[in-house]
Amino acid sequence: MTDPSFSTGSDPDPNPDVSTDVSIGGNVQDSEAALVAQVHEAQAAGRALRIQGTGSKAFYGNSCPAEAVLDCTGHRGVVAYEPSELAITARAGTSLLEIEHLLAEQSQQFPFEPPHFGDGTGSDDIGGGTLGGLVATGLSGPSRPYTGSVRDAVLGVRLLNGRGEVLHFGGQVMKNVAGYDLSRLMAGALGVLGVLLEVSLKVIPTPPATLTLVHECSLEAALQQLRRWARRPLPITASAWYQGRLMIRLSGSDEALAESHRLLGGTPLDVAESAWRVLRDQRHAFFLGDAPLWRLSVSPATPADALPGAEDQLIEWGGALRWLTGDQDVAQLRALAQAAGGHATLFRPGRGPMPADGVFNPLEPVVKRLHQQLKSAFDPQGILNPRRLYPDL
Amino acid sequence: MPRIPDERPLNPQPDIIAALSAVLPAGTVLSSAAELAPYECDGLTAFRQRPMVVALPECIEQVQQVLRLCHDARVPVVVRGAGTGLSGGALPLADGVLVSLAKFNRILAVDPDSLSARVQPGVRNLAISEAAAPYGLYYAPDPSSQIACTIGGNVAENSGGVHCLKYGLTVHNILKLKLLTIEGELFEVGREALDAPGLDLLALLTGSEGMLAVIVEITVKLLPKPERAQVLLAAFADVETAGAAVAGIIAAGITPAGLEMMDNPAIRAAEDFVQAGYPVEAEAVLICELDGFNAEVSFEVMRVRELLLSAGATEVRTAADEAERLLFWKGRKAAFPAVGRLSPDYYCMDGTIPRRELPRVLRRIAELAADYSLRVANVFHAGDGNLHPLILYDANHPGELERAEELGGAILELCVAVGGTVTGEHGVGVEKLNQMCVQFNTTELEQMHRVKAAFDPHGLLNPGKAVPTLHRCAEFGAMHVHHGELKFPELPRF
């Protein structure tokens, strides 16, 4: 058997200033030093920076007005991957596709099934951006309710804060409660606290087999069915409903899948793998076009009629994620999502206007103040990705 | 190791006792020596300190009033649940108010439709699963103290348990928190949904050891109870082979619900204590639990049995029934008290290491134990690399406690050196402040202090815990030169 490890092995220093491994990514010392130097320069000049990978998720969040770009794509390469440790560490500029290929060779995968957002060519093999972008946006795919989110899988980060300091938090081990959990805080932070340099993420074994079953039913019937199934220990790893069709994916051994099929009924879907990928990457017809796309993250117990446009929605995550297109009364939609235990995000503005207070649900006053104080604690001059998360942050 | 970790100058303000009595119901402000005695330590009994006063508020409004009084008078506050923590995170301060949330013991709602339960922080961990049981649901994290420890303490420490490998830590199993700032303002993080807008404060606050805010309500995630759980017990002639078997199970794509290892001293102690039928000649045993969907468990039990035998196990037993499953677990669950019978005192460590380093670390621990003339038994959450060396000592022998603590410190530094961490699930508290200086450098610790100040600018919430001062690290560094270099060359030494 070949050794799949990219580990630096016996390096005894837990906080190395510079990684000794250059197996994939060129001169790492230079690429990290270059990023640090750019942050120092920006700090000295009081100039804001827009942190960027390949730009595959540039559409997401509020727009950052900074003209100067901090390009992270040169800081790439896998630092450590030992399959039996169920963890991988790579530099932020490493391509998601490259990492997923490496994991697949060992029959492993990310638990959160990351979406690969578009290069716009409609090709079936979209690169999906960089590891840094994946963690900074914190966007998870269809398996999220069943095997966890990006945040859940973060084990450690190497971070460049707005003071130009390189910091290491967390590690490569599953259980680690030393100090504040500043590594998971970076998931979904959209770079406002620091530039990700390296990330360690948990990985899981790829299940031996999967089976996708389709049931024809109304949205309310689908939601009720999903809730009933969620209360049983079934091997469900994805679920979606659109236009009268409920689709669930089961993962496990052939025996477990056969038994589940017997219990749950439904028609097996042949082209399942590509169907879930199309959904994950938002290449499904529902997501195309230039209408505003709203993401409603709510309690899975929310009835269909509690949110507008029920039968026109696309549902994922066992009912906890509901997508809606078209022009909406923003204040009303946010209020309804909030009443449903969640929040509304204008995921893609499309041809519609940008809300003045940003695409994300505004924060309560105390939480907003804590955001501002945390931002100052990491980036006192506010030079990293200003306004990207909230227009006043 | 200094007995009093708090480096602040004392600033006793006894007027706060009268002020608290004026806003809290009769009998909920304790200040006599006899009343304070039960609060002088948590599960880490080597550290003791009586608080100036104990407050037992009964509702959120009362906690708000206590915090406002303390904030205005600049009196430090330590919040406590059941006091079962093992790192001294709830150690009181001589000039501080200890707020016990023992009266916040109600389960507010169990909702099977959203698979969640809303509970007060003083609810016991196991009580949540008991309340969810009629719906076929349970709360997954199960720290060994789950019959006594409270969910508020679990969130503050990001507690684990034997099932973390498959089901995660506390942070993976909570949806929403209601908290108070030190100023007494109520705020919420997380949602009933699977995510929330803005920064992930839920992740930051989980495991923050009472340093950032006071938790007053928790919404936990519930899971369907597994249809079936099955356990295998395997014996090995050496620890290396057992470690390789663990890697083999993981590499085969199986995620056990629990995967525990015990070394020979722990096996013998457990067997003497509870007669679980453990093979006492074995150098290591592995206990592997598989749970979930019935058909999946059957498949995995066969696979794991084959894997253990091909990895070189001298014996593999599969529990024939539920009684035998519980017997296999009995020895593991009795390991700590069993080791307690071997020695008047023991000191439980909590490092985590990459699994591949297991043989090397266990060998080095044995060498270190010999250097310090102390015995060590090892119990290990092998699946996730979380090591619990139990250092045996006798506090009545002068110098033995100090030797045990030094050995413990050396073991934790070893964990850091191989790429692990000083604490996997017990927290830093006051116990591992020195080792934090080994795991983190000055700029990292300063960043943590700035995060603390973002929530608590006057440093009134549980001061002196979890994150060491740079001054402390400089003094510690003066004693421990790390990798041939001083860690804090810029700080004065005296």
Side-chain angles (χ1 to χ4, degrees), chain A residues 84-85 176 295 297 371 373, chain B residues 195 199 355-356 421 444 454:
Chain A
S84 74
E85 301 290 335
N176 185 354
R295 177 186 187 274
S297 176
H371 273 64
Q373 286 167 188
Chain B
D195 48 34
L199 297 170
R355 270 183 298 266
R356 64 176 178 273
T421 175
E444 289 156 355

Side-chain angles (χ1 to χ4, degrees), chain B residues 324-404:
Chain B
E324 194 171 16
R325 185 181 82 87
L326 295 176
L327 190 66
F328 285 2
W329 271 116
K330 194 174 177 188
R332 166 61 186 92
K333 290 192 171 170
F336 287 20
V339 167
R341 292 166 78 238
L342 299 180
S343 165
D345 301 286
Y346 70 86
Y347 186 35
C348 173
M349 309 309 300
D350 175 42
T352 301
I353 56 168
R355 270 183 298 266
R356 64 176 178 273
E357 298 290 349
L358 175 65
R360 178 151 76 114
V361 167
L362 289 184
R363 264 199 310 277
R364 184 68 191 130
I365 287 175
E367 290 165 11
L368 285 166
D371 292 349
Y372 285 90
S373 306
L374 291 166
R375 289 178 295 161
V376 175
N378 283 291
V379 179
F380 184 52
H381 300 304
D384 42 35
N386 189 196
L387 197 61
H388 290 316
L390 303 171
I391 302 170
L392 312 186
Y393 71 97
D394 184 346
N396 290 324
H397 289 173
E400 251 189 49
L401 168 61
E402 289 70 21
R403 283 218 312 283

Side-chain angles (χ1 to χ4, degrees), chain A residues 7 11-15 82 84-86 144-145 151-152 161 163 165 167-169 173-182 184-185 187 189 192-193 202 205 227 230-235 252-253 255-256 259-260 263 295 297-301 317 320 341-343 361 363 366-367 369-371 373-374 377-378 389-390, chain B residues 112-115 135 157-158 161 164-165 169 171-172 181 183 185 187-188 191-201 203-204 208 211-212 224-225 227 247 250 253 255 293 295-296 299 352-356 381 384 386 416-417 421-425 427-428 436 439-440 443-444 447-448 450-452 454-455 467 483:
Chain A
S7 171
D11 181 3
D13 187 344
N15 293 314
E82 210 148 323
S84 74
E85 301 290 335
L86 296 179
R144 190 267 172 259
R151 186 281 302 269
D152 289 340
N161 69 11
R163 303 157 70 100
E165 296 165 336
L167 311 164
H168 186 261
F169 298 111
V173 292
M174 298 297 145
K175 286 165 92 177
N176 185 354
V177 293
Y180 304 123
D181 192 345
L182 300 182
R184 288 198 178 92
L185 179 63
V192 302
L193 301 180
K202 181 189 161 176
R227 285 201 290 272
R231 287 170 62 172
R232 303 175 58 184
L234 297 162
S253 63
E255 293 87 338
E259 175 67 7
S260 316
L263 287 168
R295 177 186 187 274
S297 176
V298 296
S299 163
W317 294 8
H343 60 108
N361 213 96
L363 302 170
V366 176
V367 176
R369 191 189 76 218
L370 293 173
H371 273 64
Q373 286 167 188
L374 269 175
F378 283 87
L389 190 57
Y390 282 99
Chain B
D113 282 337
S114 62
L115 297 183
Y135 306 98
E157 300 292 319
N158 194 13
C164 289
L165 178 61
L169 301 158
V171 70
H172 302 111
T181 64
E183 293 90 354
E185 300 159 297
F187 70 105
E188 294 182 356
R191 292 288 190 276
E192 278 87 25
L194 291 175
D195 48 34
L199 297 170
D200 202 330
L201 301 186
L204 172 60
S208 63
M211 306 276 290
L212 304 182
K225 277 202 231 174
E227 259 178 9
I250 304 291
T255 307
F293 192 56
E296 194 68 64
F299 169 77
T352 301
I353 56 168
R355 270 183 298 266
R356 64 176 178 273
H381 300 304
D384 42 35
N386 189 196
V416 174
T421 175
V422 299
T423 175
E425 58 183 357
V428 174
M436 285 288 286
Q439 187 162 338
F440 296 99
T443 42
E444 289 156 355
Q447 182 65 72
M448 289 192 205
R450 283 197 295 269
V451 168
K452 160 87 171 156
F455 284 82
V467 185
H483 297 316

Side-chain angles (χ1 to χ4, degrees), chain A residues 322-341:
Chain A
R322 307 187 189 192
W323 298 96
L324 186 62
T325 57
D327 297 310
Q328 304 291 333
D329 177 334
V330 175
Q332 190 196 22
L333 192 63
R334 283 175 175 164
L336 290 171
Q338 210 153 330

Side-chain angles (χ1 to χ4, degrees), chain A residues 57-368:
Chain A
K57 289 177 277 289
F59 67 87
Y60 178 69
N62 298 297
S63 65
C64 167
E67 282 174 17
V69 169
L70 188 71
D71 180 354
C72 299
T73 52
H75 191 55
R76 57 194 307 280
V78 173
V79 177
Y81 174 43
E82 210 148 323
S84 74
E85 301 290 335
L86 296 179
I88 188 164
T89 302
R91 297 184 192 99
T94 315
S95 123
L96 172 60
L97 198 64
E98 180 183 326
I99 295 176
E100 287 186 327
H101 281 155
L102 192 65
L103 296 176
E105 282 170 18
Q106 302 299 323
S107 300
Q108 294 189 336
Q109 61 187 27
F110 284 129
F112 44 81
E113 205 174 354
H116 291 211
F117 286 127
D119 58 1
T121 64
S123 106
D124 198 42
D125 199 25
I126 294 170
T130 62
L131 182 67
L134 180 164
V135 175
T137 54
L139 295 170
S140 306
S143 67
R144 190 267 172 259
Y146 312 99
T147 47
S149 62
V150 176
R151 186 281 302 269
D152 289 340
V154 171
L155 300 176
V157 297
R158 190 172 165 87
L159 182 79
L160 171 58
N161 69 11
R163 303 157 70 100
E165 296 165 336
V166 175
L167 311 164
H168 186 261
F169 298 111
Q172 297 174 30
V173 292
M174 298 297 145
K175 286 165 92 177
N176 185 354
V177 293
Y180 304 123
D181 192 345
L182 300 182
S183 47
R184 288 198 178 92
L185 179 63
M186 299 306 144
L190 285 174
V192 302
L193 301 180
V195 183
L196 293 168
L197 295 172
E198 275 175 33
V199 187
S200 298
L201 289 166
K202 181 189 161 176
V203 301
I204 57 171
T206 301
T210 62
L211 171 69
T212 294
L213 300 172
V214 177
H215 290 255
E216 308 276 334
C217 57
S218 70
L219 175 57
E220 189 52 47
L223 291 171
Q224 285 177 20
Q225 188 65 271
L226 287 166
R227 285 201 290 272
R228 273 197 297 274
W229 286 337
R231 287 170 62 172
R232 303 175 58 184
L234 297 162
I236 299 178
T237 58
S239 54
W241 178 93
Y242 182 59
Q243 290 190 338
R245 280 161 64 90
L246 172 63
M247 193 162 93
I248 54 162
R249 182 179 63 198
L250 302 149
S251 304
S253 63
D254 291 332
E255 293 87 338
L257 297 185
E259 175 67 7
S260 316
H261 189 189
R262 197 183 60 76
L263 287 168
L264 305 182
T267 313
L269 186 72
D270 289 341
V271 290
E273 205 176 320
S274 113
W276 289 110
R277 214 164 41 229
V278 162
L279 187 67
R280 180 196 74 183
D281 300 345
Q282 299 195 341
R283 285 177 286 123
H284 185 280
F286 173 87
F287 295 102
L288 304 179
D290 63 352
L293 174 65
W294 285 88
R295 177 186 187 274
L296 310 178
S297 176
V298 296
S299 163
T302 307
D305 59 12
L307 297 166
E311 294 291 327
D312 298 327
Q313 293 171 14
L314 187 146
I315 309 293
E316 289 189 87
W317 294 8
L321 189 60
R322 307 187 189 192
W323 298 96
L324 186 62
T325 57
D327 297 310
Q328 304 291 333
D329 177 334
V330 175
Q332 190 196 22
L333 192 63
R334 283 175 175 164
L336 290 171
Q338 210 153 330
H343 60 108
T345 302
L346 180 55
F347 197 78
R348 291 183 198 259
R351 61 172 147 70
M354 292 286 276
D357 48 7
V359 299
F360 299 113
N361 213 96
L363 302 170
E364 297 297 313
V366 176
V367 176
K368 181 173 170 178

Side-chain angles (χ1 to χ4, degrees), chain A residues 13-18 32 158-159 161 165-169 182, chain B residues 416 433-450 467-470 473-474 482 485-491:
Chain A
D13 187 344
N15 293 314
D17 287 333
V18 178
E32 179 169 307
R158 190 172 165 87
L159 182 79
N161 69 11
E165 296 165 336
V166 175
L167 311 164
H168 186 261
F169 298 111
L182 300 182
Chain B
V416 174
L433 284 168
N434 287 341
Q435 282 69 39
M436 285 288 286
C437 308
V438 178
Q439 187 162 338
F440 296 99
N441 66 28
T442 312
T443 42
E444 289 156 355
L445 293 172
E446 280 182 322
Q447 182 65 72
M448 289 192 205
H449 287 300
R450 283 197 295 269
V467 185
T469 62
L470 301 186
C473 288
H482 182 60
E485 57 180 303
L486 283 169
K487 283 219 58 126
F488 298 91
E490 71 281 21
L491 289 177

